[in-house]
Amino acid sequence: MNVIEIKNLTKTYGKARGITNISFNVEEGEIFGFIGPNGAGKSTTIRTLLSLIYPTGGSAKIFGKDCIESAHEIAKDIGYLPSEVFYYDNMKVMDLLKYSASFYKKDCWKRIMELAEIMDLDLNKKIDDLSLGNKKKVGIVQGLLHDPKLIILDEPTSGLDPLMQQKFFELLEQVNKKGATILFSSHILSEVQRLCDRVAIIKEGQIVQVEKISILKENNHKKFKIETKEKISPAFFQLAGVNNVEAHDDTISFLFRGDINTVMRKMAEIDIVNLWIEEPDLEEIFMHYYVKEA
Amino acid sequence: MNIFLKEMKAHRKSLMIWCAGMILLIASGMSKYAGLSSTGQSLNAMLEQIPKSIQVMMGMGTLDLSKATGYYGVLFLYIALMATIHAAMLGATIISKEERDKTAEFLFVKPVSRKSIILIKMLAALMNIGILTIISYGSSLLIVGGYSKGESVGADISVTIAGLFILQLIFLVTGTAIAAVYKKPKKAASLSAGVLLAMYLLSVAVDLNDGIKGLKYITPFKYFQASDMMYGGGLDTIYILLSAAIVVALFTLTIVFYKKRDLYL
């Protein structure tokens, strides 16, 4: 079942680019990455889903209901963490969370305490006095306190220190295991790689690709670096699927894509001192999409 | 209910300051009367020397300044200005502040429709202006009564306060409508105050220049003038209907526009 269905969604602001013809689905129970450089249209898409702004074309459904007509109905089961958190000044963290909880017809108190404990958040502080990272924590607790079925996170990790990020990811994995679907927008590739099952890559307002993380990585090159006793000519590795051969003194490196056995057999013919075979990280895969057409 | 309480709390301090300001205005205004009235009958004669344009600007018109109610009638213009400025700014702020303070992404993703949020906010604003009206009414009765030397003031004050409340309503929805239509949340309140000032200046211009008398239907300040309402004049039916039409129109405009437009994030 699809929790989010986006169909040809378009949003234009005057002449400025917004998003064009965006379509993708997010299935129930998955952690879906939404990734692209700054200004690609991630926040625009998310805000349209939440009917904070209205599309100029296309449609989107959440839980099978139109996200504009049924906005306040579906909002019951959505938790949202905006990219920049702003709250009412002069409020204590506790008061804000209570206010937030008062919109949902259930008792969220226990969950608030749990989440505050996990995120190490002081409930008695005034929101004005909090640092960026601590405000973000308030946002996280605020977005999760009503046990939403769909969690929408827009650049959630900015401002969090690595330890907190780690705890936050564990928390997300936990709620995901309990059944929550997560839409995770980010421009940081490693966190998407760590967390998500599938990703949509957005660039200049258009979806470039929707793919499983595992397949994205499979389809890609492996990096070979070989140290040999004697210098070998780059011509030695002229095989199908070999690219970017570079030879420096006694090391030779290249990218390979295809049946790994062919390279291994070729390598067996030479005297090897040392060998490195690396998976490219997502960074390199995505750079391909980012840079294209630039 | 939670939004309503939140709004009441958020505006509590500013409402208290406006109320204190109102009491101060009435008290200090009427204390001048005490000083002037001791000079006796010469007061009216002296005032006749003042050029008409100045008289109009100060709202004196045809009022008998030797009486406490007459003096209150002059003061009413300033009471009305103060109360309507409050109403216009409150209306604009209560709608635009979620966007101005960037809390819109908090409030408008909650399971409450945009229309309900706006209705509740307007209700809270109505409560605020209602409280200011009651404070104005109460302090006018007490303070003017104190200077009246037995002259009955209740009826005259009641009718002007009724007019005042309608004026407040008009400018409240003017503020909300401007905030709903205008896309720059930071400027909604000052634009509302600007519109109000323009209306006031127009009402002065109408008084000064008979040639543009027709324009009196445009500025609400001409609808409920103390000199017309007091001494049995009452509220003019045409103006009440006109006010009702304006309030309904701007109220509808607020709801329709705010519901349909993109939030400024």
Side-chain angles (χ1 to χ4, degrees):
Chain A
M1 193 195 122
N2 289 327
V3 171
I4 304 178
E5 284 174 48
I6 303 176
K7 225 179 182 179
N8 301 327
L9 200 66
T10 300
K11 172 73 188 172
T12 44
Y13 299 96
K15 278 180 189 162
R17 189 193 63 230
I19 49 174
T20 322
N21 262 327
I22 289 210
S23 302
F24 65 84
N25 296 331
V26 177
E27 288 160 22
E28 188 173 9
E30 74 177 333
I31 304 184
F32 190 91
F34 191 34
I35 193 148
N38 294 322
K42 301 187 293 285
S43 294
T44 304
T45 310
I46 286 175
R47 286 166 176 173
T48 312
L49 283 178
L50 293 163
S51 73
L52 289 165
I53 54 178
Y54 298 122
T56 31
S59 66
K61 283 182 180 178
I62 295 180
F63 307 126
K65 290 175 188 161
D66 186 89
C67 77
I68 297 165
E69 274 158 35
S70 313
H72 69 280
E73 225 174 289
I74 54 184
K76 274 184 273 191
D77 295 312
I78 298 180
Y80 172 51
L81 176 63
S83 55
E84 289 172 70
V85 276
F86 289 98
Y87 292 122
Y88 305 95
D89 293 343
N90 280 318
M91 255 179 139
K92 277 185 183 175
V93 174
M94 174 115 68
D95 297 331
L96 179 97
L97 294 175
K98 274 186 185 163
Y99 182 47
S100 184
S102 70
F103 285 92
Y104 306 98
K105 290 181 181 103
K106 48 175 131 179
D107 183 19
C108 308
W109 188 238
K110 203 177 139 227
R111 188 65 177 148
I112 291 176
M113 296 311 277
E114 265 172 33
L115 290 166
E117 169 90 40
I118 296 171
M119 296 311 293
D120 191 20
L121 180 66
D122 185 349
L123 294 178
N124 289 312
K125 278 212 169 141
K126 277 208 160 187
I127 292 180
D128 304 11
D129 301 337
L130 295 180
S131 67
L132 178 68
N134 278 316
K135 273 190 190 158
K136 203 91 195 188
K137 290 190 208 167
V138 179
I140 292 168
V141 176
Q142 190 270 128
L144 297 179
L145 57 84
H146 54 293
D147 291 312
K149 286 185 201 145
L150 171 64
I151 301 165
I152 297 179
L153 307 162
D154 195 356
E155 310 255 347
T157 52
S158 61
L160 288 183
D161 62 52
L163 186 72
M164 268 306 140
Q165 266 184 41
Q166 192 55 36
K167 280 191 181 174
F168 174 53
F169 285 165
E170 281 164 15
L171 180 65
L172 287 182
E173 276 163 349
Q174 209 181 70
V175 294
N176 176 245
K177 251 181 216 152
K178 282 191 205 154
T181 309
I182 300 173
L183 176 63
F184 188 106
S185 139
S186 176
H187 66 275
I188 302 164
L189 306 156
S190 54
E191 53 187 40
V192 170
Q193 185 172 12
R194 148 104 163 67
L195 213 57
C196 299
D197 310 316
R198 287 197 308 148
V199 286
I201 304 164
I202 183 170
K203 187 180 170 246
E204 288 172 5
Q206 283 174 308
I207 296 288
V208 184
Q209 195 171 3
V210 180
E211 194 56 273
K212 279 188 179 166
I213 291 263
S214 53
I215 290 181
L216 270 182
K217 287 169 80 180
E218 261 170 38
N219 279 349
N220 242 282
H221 301 87
K222 285 192 171 25
K223 272 201 300 195
F224 280 80
K225 190 175 155 197
I226 308 162
E227 195 183 332
T228 49
K229 269 193 176 156
E230 290 154 31
K231 190 172 160 51
I232 27 172
S233 101
F236 179 76
F237 279 107
Q238 282 307 343
L239 296 167
V242 170
N243 279 308
N244 292 21
V245 185
E246 278 175 47
H248 295 286
D249 301 330
D250 48 3
T251 62
I252 186 162
S253 64
F254 55 85
L255 296 173
F256 177 74
R257 177 177 179 166
D259 184 1
I260 199 116
N261 291 306
T262 53
V263 203
M264 296 312 282
R265 273 182 213 120
K266 195 78 184 166
M267 263 193 286
E269 297 168 17
I270 49 175
D271 202 350
I272 294 171
V273 178
N274 213 337
L275 170 67
W276 298 264
I277 305 175
E278 285 172 4
E279 289 273 325
D281 47 21
L282 270 181
E283 198 99 21
E284 283 164 288
I285 302 171
F286 282 114
M287 279 320 277
H288 169 67
Y289 292 107
Y290 278 19
V291 183
K292 200 167 62 179
E293 298 156 35
Chain B
M1 197 60 195
N2 47 1
I3 301 175
F4 182 80
L5 290 176
K6 171 88 181 57
E7 290 300 341
M8 289 310 288
K9 213 175 160 186
H11 288 94
R12 190 175 53 190
K13 212 185 232 169
S14 102
L15 180 63
M16 270 156 53
I17 293 170
W18 280 97
C19 286
M22 183 60 87
I23 295 169
L24 209 69
L25 172 72
I26 297 170
S28 64
M30 289 312 290
S31 76
K32 291 241 167 55
Y33 166 76
L36 285 171
S37 68
S38 59
T39 61
Q41 283 302 322
S42 61
L43 180 67
N44 274 332
M46 186 187 85
L47 289 170
E48 270 161 28
Q49 307 289 315
I50 300 176
K52 194 189 175 221
S53 56
I54 305 281
Q55 285 192 24
V56 165
M57 287 245 252
M58 292 174 70
M60 291 175 197
T62 54
L63 293 160
D64 178 0
L65 291 188
S66 61
K67 284 187 188 166
T69 47
Y71 202 87
Y72 166 79
V74 176
L75 193 58
F76 176 75
L77 177 67
Y78 301 95
I79 296 174
L81 263 177
M82 190 163 161
T84 49
I85 288 173
H86 170 253
M89 306 255 288
L90 175 68
T93 312
I94 207 164
I95 303 294
S96 66
K97 68 176 176 176
E98 305 291 343
E99 291 169 281
R100 186 193 66 199
D101 300 340
K102 300 190 177 291
T103 46
E105 277 186 297
F106 170 85
L107 186 60
F108 291 99
V109 302
K110 294 282 181 277
V112 188
S113 71
R114 253 196 226 188
K115 191 175 156 187
S116 316
I117 292 176
I118 294 307
L119 283 174
I120 295 166
K121 277 174 169 278
M122 290 178 95
L123 203 64
L126 185 68
M127 187 84 158
N128 269 279
I129 63 164
I131 290 170
L132 186 62
T133 315
I134 290 167
I135 295 289
S136 310
Y137 189 34
S139 50
S140 296
L141 281 179
L142 283 174
I143 297 167
V144 179
Y147 289 111
S148 69
K149 299 174 197 147
E151 181 196 358
S152 152
V153 297
D156 286 332
I157 290 176
S158 301
V159 72
T160 55
I161 294 292
L164 177 72
F165 185 65
I166 300 175
L167 279 177
Q168 284 174 289
L169 273 182
I170 293 174
F171 282 104
L172 177 71
V173 289
T174 304
T176 58
I178 285 173
V181 175
Y182 195 48
K183 281 196 182 116
K184 290 181 182 140
K186 279 177 190 156
K187 291 186 181 153
S190 40
L191 185 63
S192 304
V195 168
L196 182 137
L197 202 66
M199 288 297 155
Y200 171 65
L201 291 176
L202 183 62
S203 76
V204 173
V206 169
D207 278 335
L208 288 176
N209 188 344
D210 279 346
I212 53 168
K213 226 173 187 162
L215 294 179
K216 68 180 176 182
Y217 294 105
I218 294 179
T219 167
F221 286 107
K222 289 299 289 174
Y223 297 1
F224 306 106
Q225 298 197 113
S227 50
D228 299 338
M229 292 185 286
M230 285 164 66
Y231 309 123
L235 305 176
D236 194 326
T237 317
I238 293 175
Y239 288 133
I240 291 178
L241 291 176
L242 201 53
S243 303
I246 292 173
V247 170
V248 170
L250 290 176
F251 174 79
T252 315
L253 191 76
T254 304
I255 301 281
V256 170
F257 258 81
Y258 203 79
K259 224 178 80 175
K260 280 194 178 159
R261 82 164 159 94
D262 288 346
L263 292 177
Y264 176 89
L265 300 166

